[in-house]
Amino acid sequence: NIYDGMGGLLERAQMPGTVLDRTFYCTLSIGVLRYPETYGDGREIIKNAEIAMYQAKKMGENNYVFYTSTLDNDSVARAEMETAMRESIDNDFENFEVYYQPLVANERDIIGVEALIRWRLPDGRRLSPTQFIPLAEYLGLIIPIGEFVLRSAARFCRFVNTRHPDFFVSVNVSIRQFKQLEFMENILALLDAEKVEKKNIMLEITEGMAIHDMQRMRMIAEELRMQNIRVSMDDFGTGYSSLG
């Protein structure tokens, strides 16, 4: 039974592995294509399997999806969104906007803001971040988008600090940014270039990033603190890092 086979693979993937006395966990995202029920040459078969795999990734970790023609239609829409996203980035982030959500104390005093990215398609339609952020993550485009958000946030923070020196801006960091070897260097270079007080910048991570590589997270968090850059954790307690 193919369904039992997929379930078995996912179950085995969740078993820990040990390398150099360290325990690691992995997850699988599987795209399944029925053959010869689904015809096509080798490239077409691989493309359709990747379409199904991408859908599995969207559903979260440890899932599998069978390819259907409906997914193929979705892939066309995804390709169009990808093209529009690349064009927006190449045109100096045209149609991308940064909004600022107030962070309050005592239910009235605004002490800072959270920077939130928004994007409009060329036809003017606004997309929810849940629609385009996963695609940007998958394509690696979240790295330039993340830098655009941080740069915009730093400029806004520097402007507000002229009147409110303790005002801070919180900026989300994606796991793709976090995995960059030059992560710290890029962050520091950007903030230095914008001449913003580093103590007024807070980088927000998700607990999924922390549990993915706890040792690296500890190291980077310590380096950020040494630079007076604050770190906060979003969605804490929804996964395993609270136990860690």
Side-chain angles (χ1 to χ4, degrees):
N1 185 308
I2 190 170
Y3 295 98
D4 291 340
M6 292 298 102
L9 278 174
L10 296 179
E11 185 176 343
R12 289 179 63 186
Q14 296 181 62
M15 297 174 64
T18 302
V19 179
L20 298 178
D21 297 325
R22 293 186 179 180
T23 301
F24 293 89
Y25 294 83
C26 71
T27 58
L28 295 181
S29 297
I30 307 174
V32 186
L33 186 72
R34 297 181 186 273
Y35 187 86
E37 297 174 35
T38 305
Y39 295 98
D41 60 18
R43 289 185 179 181
E44 186 75 8
I45 291 170
I46 293 174
K47 185 197 78 171
N48 292 341
E50 287 182 339
I51 289 171
M53 181 190 67
Y54 176 74
Q55 184 64 26
K57 284 177 175 287
K58 288 174 62 178
M59 293 172 61
E61 297 178 343
N62 263 25
N63 273 298
Y64 64 89
V65 169
F66 283 85
Y67 171 81
T68 65
S69 57
T70 301
L71 290 180
D72 204 10
N73 292 334
D74 291 343
S75 73
V76 172
R78 182 178 71 88
E80 292 174 348
M81 189 186 300
E82 177 184 344
T83 299
M85 188 181 297
R86 292 186 185 278
E87 289 178 349
S88 290
I89 293 172
D90 291 341
N91 291 322
D92 197 24
F93 296 92
E94 182 183 28
N95 296 328
F96 280 103
E97 299 171 316
V98 179
Y99 284 68
Y100 298 98
Q101 178 172 284
L103 302 171
V104 300
N106 303 320
E107 298 183 356
R108 62 177 183 177
D109 298 326
I110 298 178
I111 58 175
V113 293
E114 180 179 1
L116 303 171
I117 187 67
R118 295 294 183 265
W119 182 47
R120 290 180 290 109
L121 290 174
D123 61 11
R125 287 184 295 126
R126 290 183 181 275
L127 293 179
S128 165
T130 58
Q131 292 177 281
F132 71 85
I133 291 295
L135 179 61
E137 288 271 10
Y138 179 72
L139 297 172
L141 297 177
I142 197 66
I143 293 175
I145 291 173
E147 291 177 354
F148 167 74
V149 175
L150 181 58
R151 184 176 296 106
S152 301
R155 291 174 181 175
F156 180 74
C157 187
R158 185 185 63 192
F159 171 75
V160 177
N161 286 158
T162 58
R163 293 194 176 185
H164 305 281
D166 294 325
F167 180 89
F168 69 93
V169 179
S170 175
V171 182
N172 291 292
V173 175
S174 80
I175 193 167
R176 291 293 289 265
Q177 290 174 279
F178 176 70
K179 285 182 176 180
Q180 286 182 291
L181 294 177
E182 310 85 5
F183 175 76
M184 277 298 302
E185 291 85 346
N186 292 343
I187 294 288
L188 295 176
L190 190 153
L191 297 181
D192 285 339
E194 296 301 331
K195 296 180 173 59
V196 64
E197 288 284 348
K198 294 187 181 70
K199 68 180 180 65
N200 291 330
I201 297 296
M202 178 182 290
L203 299 183
E204 189 170 317
I205 65 171
T206 64
E207 72 161 0
M209 291 166 56
I211 204 66
H212 176 78
D213 191 340
M214 191 69 78
Q215 184 176 3
R216 176 170 165 77
M217 186 67 251
R218 285 199 196 99
M219 180 187 71
I220 288 181
E222 185 61 31
E223 290 182 12
L224 290 170
R225 282 196 292 267
M226 291 175 63
Q227 296 291 334
N228 292 322
I229 300 172
R230 289 183 282 178
V231 179
S232 68
M233 185 173 289
D234 194 14
D235 298 333
F236 181 76
T238 60
Y240 297 105
S241 67
S242 53
L243 299 176

